[in-house]
Amino acid sequence: MFRAIATRAPTCARAIGRRNASTNVAVQNLESRWTTLSTAEQNSIAKQLEEAQKGDWKVLSLDEKKAAYYVAFGPHGPRTPVNGPGHNGKVFAGVAGVLAASAALFYVIRANGGEKPHTMTPEWQEQTNEYLKSQKSNPITGISSEGYKGKGYLDC
């Protein structure tokens, strides 16, 4: 009885070897060929790999294991990366361009904006301070408080 089991194992191994030889050709370097395969070929290879995985994983070749992993988790279909190579550079260039355009627009507006409003003159600001003192504005810590040493509304 022990001898029958021992003679049977090589026969199974030869059958597995023939199966591996046929699928091994289809799965060699699958990562680089996957996008060029038709949908029918992709489905056929996926089914072959699924059937191969139902057996003992120790008899699978390295190419079959790599192909099975790629089909299950590879960057294809819904797992295709959204951002391609060079995307970060494009984002950086776009942000730098927008910042440069906004700085140029700010400069143009400031250069052509005319003179300051009359409320920004030192005389107007001094009159504002006097008015706030006469109204006793912010009497605890502000301009109307005792011993106030701040500038009030003066910019200079």
Side-chain angles (χ1 to χ4, degrees):
M1 184 162 108
F2 181 76
R3 185 168 174 90
I5 293 174
T7 58
R8 191 168 179 210
T11 309
C12 291
R14 273 185 255 130
I16 291 171
R18 276 186 260 126
R19 181 194 51 80
N20 280 349
S22 66
T23 58
N24 220 2
V25 173
V27 297
Q28 282 182 340
N29 204 10
L30 184 69
E31 296 87 6
S32 62
R33 296 183 303 120
W34 185 259
T35 55
T36 61
L37 296 175
S38 69
T39 307
E41 290 173 322
Q42 290 176 354
N43 290 337
S44 172
I45 290 174
K47 285 181 183 176
Q48 285 176 356
L49 289 170
E50 186 178 332
E51 290 298 320
Q53 291 177 62
K54 288 181 180 177
D56 189 11
W57 276 61
K58 293 177 187 173
V59 297
L60 292 177
S61 69
L62 184 60
D63 285 334
E64 286 176 321
K65 290 177 185 177
K66 285 181 181 178
Y69 182 83
Y70 181 78
V71 169
F73 303 108
H76 56 83
R79 291 178 301 277
T80 303
V82 176
N83 302 330
H87 179 73
N88 292 341
K90 290 178 185 176
V91 169
F92 179 77
V95 169
V98 167
L99 288 176
S102 63
L105 182 64
F106 178 77
Y107 175 75
V108 168
I109 290 172
R110 291 289 290 194
N112 298 324
E115 47 185 81
K116 288 183 177 179
H118 66 280
T119 57
M120 297 301 290
T121 61
E123 295 83 23
W124 186 281
Q125 292 173 355
E126 287 173 5
Q127 288 177 354
T128 302
N129 283 344
E130 295 302 321
Y131 176 76
L132 291 174
K133 286 179 188 176
S134 71
Q135 295 294 315
K136 298 190 190 294
S137 177
N138 200 357
I140 297 176
T141 59
I143 197 164
S144 297
S145 64
E146 291 181 30
Y148 178 74
K149 294 184 173 113
K151 298 187 297 183
Y153 279 90
L154 291 174
D155 284 339
C156 45

